[in-house]
Amino acid sequence: ELKVEQNPLFLSMQEGKNYTIYCNYSTTSDRLYWYRQDPGKSLESLFVLLSNGAVKQEGRLMASLDTKARLSTLHITAAVHDLSATYFCAVDGAQGGSEKLVFGKGTKLTVNP
Amino acid sequence: NAGVTQTPKFQVLKTGQSMTLQCAQDMNHEYMSWYRQDPGMGLRLIHYSVGAGITDQGEVPNGYNVSRSTTEDFPLRLLSAAPSQTSVYFCASSYFTQGNEQYFGPGTRLTVT
């Protein structure tokens, strides 16, 4: 059974600082997704990582995937208040198409001025 | 495109009542799914469908039924609501090939008293 663990679950950081969110998963997969959720809102896709060593960047966020270590990271560079949200990783452990995504519990990020 | 739409946005039910949560997408996506989100639990897959006429169970299917008569629609039925089904429900859709991120609807907040 695929399990996905994120840490930390809560992260409070100051503007301008850097930090990394970790996503570990328990079974082989080379398809990992990062989503953002603002309070009371739906989920917004951030990154799709499809192979070992994949790295994607958008603004102050950079995501990477190490399938051998079963680990993905979401790195935040010079945080700003607008990045405050909950971030979820999700792993697709199925063969074939997108089936049965398993989500981590989320990391609630608060960026303080 | 309207994307993924869900109705209603809010619903209060009494224990034992039944209801249907509606989900529709206009992106011609083959894959559709239902998740529930509970505090501190991330998202958990209830049921999913890889095309019209094909449905399967996810992680937490008990107490819910689905059907997929058209590509566009994927309703979720609660047969006899229980307080444990109080949650926020999200519908999502995607193309059924590897590496396609899921697009989420705005959610339905359900309270069962």
Side-chain angles (χ1 to χ4, degrees), chain A residues 98-99, chain B residues 29-32 48-52 54-56 68 96:
Chain A
S98 298
E99 299 179 23
Chain B
H29 287 164
E30 302 96 342
Y31 181 84
M32 296 186 74
Y48 67 97
S49 169
V50 300
I54 305 169
T55 63
D56 206 347
R68 183 96 179 268
F96 186 59

Side-chain angles (χ1 to χ4, degrees), chain A:
Chain A
E1 180 188 351
L2 174 59
K3 294 190 184 302
V4 180
E5 289 190 1
Q6 281 183 244
N7 67 83
L9 297 182
F10 299 92
L11 177 55
S12 180
M13 55 192 297
Q14 287 186 315
E15 281 192 330
K17 299 293 188 182
N18 303 333
Y19 209 83
T20 300
I21 298 170
Y22 298 88
C23 175
N24 292 273
Y25 54 98
S26 61
T27 64
T28 300
S29 177
D30 56 5
R31 298 189 293 280
L32 190 139
Y33 307 83
W34 284 96
Y35 290 89
R36 168 182 171 145
Q37 185 179 39
D38 292 304
K41 302 293 186 182
S42 186
L43 280 78
E44 172 192 356
S45 177
L46 292 175
F47 300 110
V48 178
L49 303 170
L50 299 179
S51 61
N52 186 41
V55 177
K56 292 200 174 176
Q57 183 164 5
E58 179 76 31
R60 301 175 187 274
L61 300 177
M62 183 174 70
S64 66
L65 177 62
D66 181 344
T67 59
K68 294 179 181 177
R70 299 176 185 167
L71 170 69
S72 179
T73 60
L74 181 66
H75 187 71
I76 303 155
T77 301
V80 293
H81 180 70
D82 285 352
L83 289 179
S84 296
T86 299
Y87 294 86
F88 292 94
C89 65
V91 179
D92 184 357
Q95 301 300 316
S98 298
E99 299 179 23
K100 296 191 174 183
L101 281 190
V102 177
F103 281 77
K105 293 184 177 181
T107 297
K108 184 174 183 179
L109 171 65
T110 303
V111 181
N112 303 304

Side-chain angles (χ1 to χ4, degrees), chain B residues 69-89:
Chain B
S69 57
T70 67
T71 299
E72 294 79 18
D73 300 300
F74 191 44
L76 178 72
R77 280 182 290 277
L78 280 70
L79 307 173
S80 177
S84 61
Q85 294 178 304
T86 294
S87 188
V88 180
Y89 291 84

Side-chain angles (χ1 to χ4, degrees), chain B residues 7-57:
Chain B
T7 56
K9 290 187 177 179
F10 301 93
Q11 183 70 49
V12 178
L13 290 178
K14 294 186 186 302
T15 297
Q17 289 184 318
S18 63
M19 79 159 295
T20 299
L21 279 62
Q22 301 291 344
C23 175
Q25 52 91 10
D26 61 359
M27 297 173 281
N28 205 29
H29 287 164
E30 302 96 342
Y31 181 84
M32 296 186 74
S33 55
W34 277 101
Y35 296 87
R36 60 177 289 173
Q37 184 177 30
D38 301 296
M41 296 293 292
L43 277 78
R44 292 181 292 169
L45 182 64
I46 304 171
H47 285 286
Y48 67 97
S49 169
V50 300
I54 305 169
T55 63
D56 206 347
Q57 296 181 350

